[in-house]
């Protein structure tokens, strides 16, 4: 990766945020693994064609995210651990997917509501527009650190108790079993990336400018009937996806 280009404010994104994104991406790519340290503020300022104050703001944001740590008299240490590997497969499950990468996992129900299916959701879930859906807002933690923020919709007629069942079990798989779905598979997954928005920044404990991996997925039961459509957001510095056959 080449970081040696002059930065210009674009699309309303502050320079320090652009620089934080570039440094974050370079760290994730292992560019600084040889030393474990970031280049000095002066070196980074020269690479990006900005002043040291701007670079300092970018590094401060990365420090707030726990990616780097300033050491007095030594420079800036990269503290990021290896990213969690999350497999996307025919039977994608959050808990089993992470396996032995985590000591402790927790699923929290942040909110739930009953709402009518939009045209887009109706098409995904094979229901008529306006059909009642249960919407769940979930936060998942690994070793007490937030790693996933998701929004999921379920047909209310079939899964009216899904919110209570999730609160009881902390697992979508176990909650679905209570509604008679013993097994299900992933019908489709679309992956993209974007900057975190305000709610995700707060819930995932990130700083402005953080990049998210976004997974839009559709799960179906063993008869092929859609049961869940969801969008999950993962900090790109914490999680990486592996697509399995």
């Amino acid at each position: 990766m080449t970081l040696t280009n002059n930065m210009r404010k674009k699309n309303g994104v502050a320079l320090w945020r652009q620089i934080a994104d570039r440094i974050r991406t370079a760290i994730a790519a292992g560019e600084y693994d040889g030393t474990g340290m970031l280049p000095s503020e002066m070196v980074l300022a020269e690479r990006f064609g900005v002043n040291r104050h701007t670079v300092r703001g970018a590094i401060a944001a990365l420090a707030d995210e726990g990616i780097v740590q300033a050491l007095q008299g030594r420079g800036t240490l990269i503290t990021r651990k290896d990213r969690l590997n999350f497999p996307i497969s025919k039977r994608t499950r959050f808990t089993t997917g992470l396996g032995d990468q985590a000591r402790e996992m927790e699923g929290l129900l942040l909110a739930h509501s009953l709402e009518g299916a939009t045209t887009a959701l109706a098409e995904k879930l094979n229901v008529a527009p306006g059909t009642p859906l249960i919407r769940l807002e979930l936060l998942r933690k690994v070793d007490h650190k937030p790693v996933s923020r998701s929004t999921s919709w379920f047909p209310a007629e079939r899964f009216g108790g899904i919110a209570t069942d999730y609160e009881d079990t902390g697992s979508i798989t176990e909650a679905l079993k209570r509604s008679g779905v013993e097994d299900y598979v992933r019908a489709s997954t679309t992956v993209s990336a974007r900057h975190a928005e305000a709610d995700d920044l707060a819930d995932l404990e990130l700083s402005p400018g953080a990049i998210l991996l976004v997974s839009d997925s559709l799960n179906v039961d063993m008869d092929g009937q859609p049961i869940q459509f969801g969008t999950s957001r993962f900090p790109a510095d914490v999680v990486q996806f592996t697509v399995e056959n």
Side-chain angles (χ1 to χ4, degrees):
M1 175 184 298
T2 301
L3 297 178
T4 56
N5 66 314
N6 291 337
M7 303 293 291
R8 294 288 183 270
K9 186 172 182 179
K10 58 182 180 180
N11 299 327
V13 180
L15 290 178
W16 67 264
R17 181 175 297 181
Q18 295 180 55
I19 293 171
D21 288 349
R22 297 287 293 277
I23 295 174
R24 188 188 293 110
T25 301
I27 291 173
E31 182 163 326
Y32 308 123
D33 285 356
T35 63
M37 305 285 288
L38 287 186
S40 69
E41 290 180 1
M42 181 177 296
V43 169
L44 289 173
E46 291 176 354
R47 287 186 181 182
F48 291 117
V50 298
N51 59 47
R52 293 176 63 180
H53 177 76
T54 302
V55 169
R56 193 170 299 129
I59 292 175
L62 296 174
D64 288 341
E65 294 179 38
I67 296 173
V68 300
Q69 178 184 2
L71 301 178
Q72 185 67 33
R74 291 181 54 194
T76 304
L77 175 69
I78 298 170
T79 57
R80 172 192 60 79
K81 297 180 180 179
D82 291 338
R83 287 178 291 179
L84 297 169
N85 184 55
F86 187 70
I88 296 176
S89 64
K90 185 176 181 180
R91 281 184 169 81
T92 297
R93 308 287 190 268
F94 185 83
T95 301
T96 56
L98 292 177
D100 59 2
Q101 299 176 76
R103 294 184 300 273
E104 182 178 342
M105 285 179 274
E106 182 181 12
L108 303 174
L109 176 64
L110 301 180
H112 63 93
S113 61
L114 178 67
E115 58 188 46
T118 62
T119 300
L121 286 172
E123 182 178 353
K124 296 288 187 183
L125 292 168
N126 194 26
V127 297
T131 297
L133 303 178
I134 301 294
R135 173 174 174 162
L136 301 187
E137 298 289 346
L138 308 179
L139 179 68
R140 292 184 174 93
K141 295 185 177 183
V142 170
D143 297 333
H144 308 290
K145 181 178 179 60
V147 299
S148 173
R149 174 75 166 81
S150 64
T151 306
S152 290
W153 293 266
F154 306 81
E157 182 177 3
R158 187 175 181 183
F159 302 105
I162 193 77
T164 299
D165 293 338
Y166 184 84
E167 277 192 302
D168 290 345
T169 64
S171 164
I172 290 294
T173 299
E174 295 303 316
L176 288 171
K177 285 182 179 180
R178 291 190 176 187
S179 294
V181 179
E182 291 297 325
D183 196 9
Y184 61 97
V185 294
R186 180 65 59 88
S188 66
T189 303
T190 302
V191 176
S192 59
R194 62 170 170 79
H195 283 97
E197 298 175 353
D199 288 347
D200 288 336
L201 287 174
D203 292 332
L204 293 170
E205 300 175 8
L206 302 173
S207 298
I211 302 297
L212 299 179
L213 296 178
V214 182
S215 170
D216 293 331
S217 59
L218 176 67
N219 288 325
V220 300
D221 64 19
M222 302 313 292
D223 293 323
Q225 181 64 35
I227 58 173
Q228 175 194 10
F229 179 76
T231 175
S232 299
R233 288 86 74 193
F234 303 81
D237 300 307
V238 176
V239 175
Q240 65 182 10
F241 294 154
T242 301
V243 179
E244 299 181 346
N245 292 329

